[in-house]
Amino acid sequence: DFSQNSLYSLLETQYGHRINRARRTIEAVLSSPQEAKLLALKSGAPIFLVKTLAMYNDSIPAEYSIARYSGENNRFTVEVSR
């Protein structure tokens, strides 16, 4: 249940895998017809494509995700520290 604890906390406390590195790429792209429908936008509307790769032991992948966000009313703040 990740409503109370984070994935990273679980990986560290239960499995001893401490996430110590992540790469997040944020790119502005035009939405496909399917993405536009799911995000309630017009086809071709700008969206953010966000790809994340988080690792432990500097090189072992622990999380890979691809997300798409509406280009309207979003703000991204990225702060990384360990």
Side-chain angles (χ1 to χ4, degrees), residues 1-77:
D1 179 13
F2 295 121
S3 64
Q4 300 296 318
N5 294 303
S6 72
L7 170 64
Y8 291 9
S9 176
L10 174 75
L11 288 171
E12 186 169 352
T13 59
Q14 297 293 314
Y15 303 100
H17 299 310
R18 185 171 189 261
I19 304 300
N20 64 340
R21 184 172 162 213
R23 177 184 306 128
R24 179 164 288 159
T25 303
I26 302 171
E27 179 181 359
V29 298
L30 300 179
S31 61
S32 70
Q34 181 183 9
E35 293 164 340
K37 182 178 179 182
L38 292 169
L39 294 169
L41 301 169
K42 292 182 181 179
S43 183
I47 60 173
F48 290 108
L49 174 63
V50 180
K51 296 180 182 179
T52 302
L53 175 62
M55 293 160 271
Y56 65 94
N57 293 343
D58 286 325
S59 63
I60 301 171
E63 174 199 7
Y64 179 73
S65 64
I66 299 174
R68 292 161 180 85
Y69 299 94
S70 167
E72 301 175 358
N73 301 315
N74 276 298
R75 177 182 298 162
F76 294 96
T77 303

